[in-house]
Amino acid sequence: MPSAYDPDPAALSALLAGEPAYRVRQLDEGLWRQLRRPIELTVLPKALRDRLEAALPPALRVVTESVCDAGRTTKWVFALHDDATIETVAMAYRDRVTVCISSQAGCAMGCTFCATGQAGFRRHLAAAELIEQVVAAARSVEPRRVSNVVFMGMGEPLANYDATIATLRALNERVGISARHLTVSTVGVAPAIERLAIDAPTVTLAVSLHAANDALRDTLVPLNRTYPLERLETACHQWNASTGRRMSFEWALIDGVNDRLRDADELAAIARRVRAHVNLIPLNPTPGYPTRGTPREGVERFRDALESHGVNATIRATRGREIDAACGQLAAVAGGKVPRRSRVGVEVSPVRGR
Ligand code: SAH
Ligand code: SF4
């Protein structure tokens, strides 16, 4: 299906065959810099605009748009051409606007604590479907500009490698977002981290660690059985060696599961070896994993333990909880949407025994 945001410029040139060369530039500028639809590009003759609009239908259809945090967080459920659904979140802060995009409809990695993982995999997204999420969010925050994009929505970006790389390039080179403000978050696909270090060495890498011993990580992140910690650590060293850039470890603090001092000691050891910064976020409970996140004092204790080992750690604020837009809560796989009532039931259910 042709798309206005096909990262291959040849796609647009083919549509403009027979037109003067400057029309290609006008269309490119209108789509990628001004983020307009073809029909809005009044610099083009009306007949051409109409033809382009018909030839390049939007890749995303809004199913729902929910707003919270006093208008600063917006979540969209978008339907794709085949009715697969994905979610995108825009978060406006004082100094930046961050868009969280999905790389797949669903996810095949099956992390037990993640709503997307619980819902299963539907398909990979095409690069244009990733890029259009940023464009849609960018249009909605105008006149502000999107400064940061994080691949932390639904799906595992490094399992959809080619589309992820094409998206990173297009967002940087054609939309103009700085590469270090593009963050790829991965559950730890070790060989793909090593490829990313070659193909996109200037982007930011976040590795979702959550456990620093194989026995525990095997239960939380099934991919750990394929790429256990030692293999993942090799990939992290490779990233450092070829990019010279510091990565971060994401750690969702789960009450009584990975928030004990022993866990902090194990995490500190690996974080020091690979010089990673640690981002801590209390787990958001999901229907399939109703354990609660670590309460605030425990989160602070864990952060202090890491810092006592010389590891930098940041406690991340959660956005979008009321609209199910928080980390790990995205689950809009067609047919897999969890009914609201059962979520509420889960939120009030007792904490799992230790
Ligand atoms: N698949 C990639 C990116 C999408 S998930 C990855 O796993 O990194 C984005 C982030 O949300 C990851 O750090 C993931 O571990 C985290 N996450 C998943 N479920 C969560 C939950 N219930 N609470 C808090 N964070 C969660
Ligand atoms: Fe997939 Fe990431 Fe969720 Fe794991 S945490 S199931 S890799 S989206």
Side-chain angles (χ1 to χ4, degrees):
M1 173 141 332
S3 161
Y5 293 95
D6 191 319
D8 178 5
L12 288 188
S13 309
L15 270 178
L16 290 173
E19 296 284 341
Y22 63 84
R23 293 282 182 229
V24 178
R25 282 196 303 279
Q26 286 173 329
L27 179 60
D28 196 77
E29 162 84 18
L31 294 173
W32 290 88
R33 290 282 167 171
Q34 298 160 11
L35 307 176
R36 297 298 101 198
R37 291 288 315 156
I39 199 75
E40 297 167 330
L41 299 178
T42 47
V43 59
L44 303 176
K46 172 90 172 67
L48 180 58
R49 253 183 280 161
D50 290 343
R51 181 165 73 76
L52 290 170
E53 183 67 26
L56 301 169
L60 313 175
R61 202 169 67 243
V62 178
V63 178
T64 59
E65 179 178 286
S66 334
V67 179
C68 74
D69 297 327
R72 292 171 302 145
T73 303
T74 306
K75 178 181 86 167
W76 294 271
V77 175
F78 291 119
L80 309 175
H81 65 81
D82 57 356
D83 291 332
T85 47
I86 55 164
E87 301 189 0
T88 306
V89 184
M91 291 158 285
Y93 302 87
R94 204 165 38 79
D95 58 339
R96 66 190 193 281
V97 175
T98 299
V99 178
C100 175
I101 61 172
S102 295
S103 55
Q104 300 176 313
C107 184
M109 297 296 165
C111 302
T112 45
F113 51 86
C114 168
T116 309
Q118 291 155 19
F121 178 71
R122 174 148 174 182
R123 72 164 167 89
H124 293 300
L125 300 193
E129 293 169 328
L130 279 113
I131 296 163
E132 284 204 29
Q133 295 173 65
V134 179
V135 173
R139 289 178 58 124
S140 91
V141 301
E142 283 175 344
R144 295 193 67 184
R145 291 182 64 89
V146 171
S147 52
N148 298 61
V149 175
V150 296
F151 290 61
M152 291 188 181
M154 303 167 75
E156 168 51 44
L158 295 188
N160 187 10
Y161 188 84
D162 292 346
T164 293
I165 293 289
T167 301
L168 291 168
R169 289 212 173 110
L171 293 178
N172 178 224
E173 292 167 12
R174 304 185 74 189
V175 181
I177 302 175
S178 133
R180 68 176 192 286
H181 291 162
L182 302 173
T183 300
V184 175
S185 178
T186 177
V187 70
V189 189
I193 291 174
E194 291 162 356
R195 280 179 75 190
L196 189 75
I198 308 294
D199 294 334
T202 52
V203 304
T204 297
L205 177 67
V207 173
S208 299
L209 204 64
H210 309 309
N213 73 70
D214 283 319
L216 177 58
R217 197 161 192 272
D218 281 352
T219 68
L220 296 174
V221 175
L223 188 73
N224 196 65
R225 294 175 211 145
T226 310
Y227 303 115
L229 285 163
E230 199 182 318
R231 176 70 188 87
L232 179 55
E233 189 174 334
T234 301
C236 292
H237 287 299
Q238 184 66 46
W239 172 268
N240 289 344
S242 41
T243 71
R245 309 209 50 230
R246 187 174 285 244
M247 73 183 68
S248 60
F249 285 153
E250 306 296 305
W251 192 277
L253 279 163
I254 313 172
D255 195 27
V257 174
N258 66 352
D259 63 354
R260 301 153 301 181
L261 284 180
R262 162 156 55 100
D263 301 300
D265 293 345
E266 288 169 354
L267 167 57
I270 180 168
R272 286 178 60 151
R273 289 196 299 272
V274 305
R275 296 185 303 113
H277 180 98
V278 175
N279 283 318
L280 300 171
I281 180 164
L283 181 87
N284 289 302
T286 53
Y289 191 84
T291 313
R292 67 173 183 169
T294 303
R296 184 76 200 185
E297 322 80 75
V299 174
E300 286 169 5
R301 212 179 318 119
F302 197 86
R303 191 244 347 249
D304 294 346
L306 292 175
E307 294 202 326
S308 74
H309 287 295
V311 171
N312 290 326
T314 308
I315 300 174
R316 277 204 348 224
T318 320
R319 278 283 189 96
R321 268 214 173 136
E322 306 96 281
I323 52 173
D324 292 342
C327 289
Q329 288 187 331
L330 306 184
V333 181
K337 187 84 185 157
V338 185
R340 177 121 222 136
R341 204 145 48 89
S342 74
R343 285 172 196 228
V344 174
V346 161
E347 274 161 24
V348 298
S349 69
V351 181
R352 210 172 61 165
R354 292 182 178 208

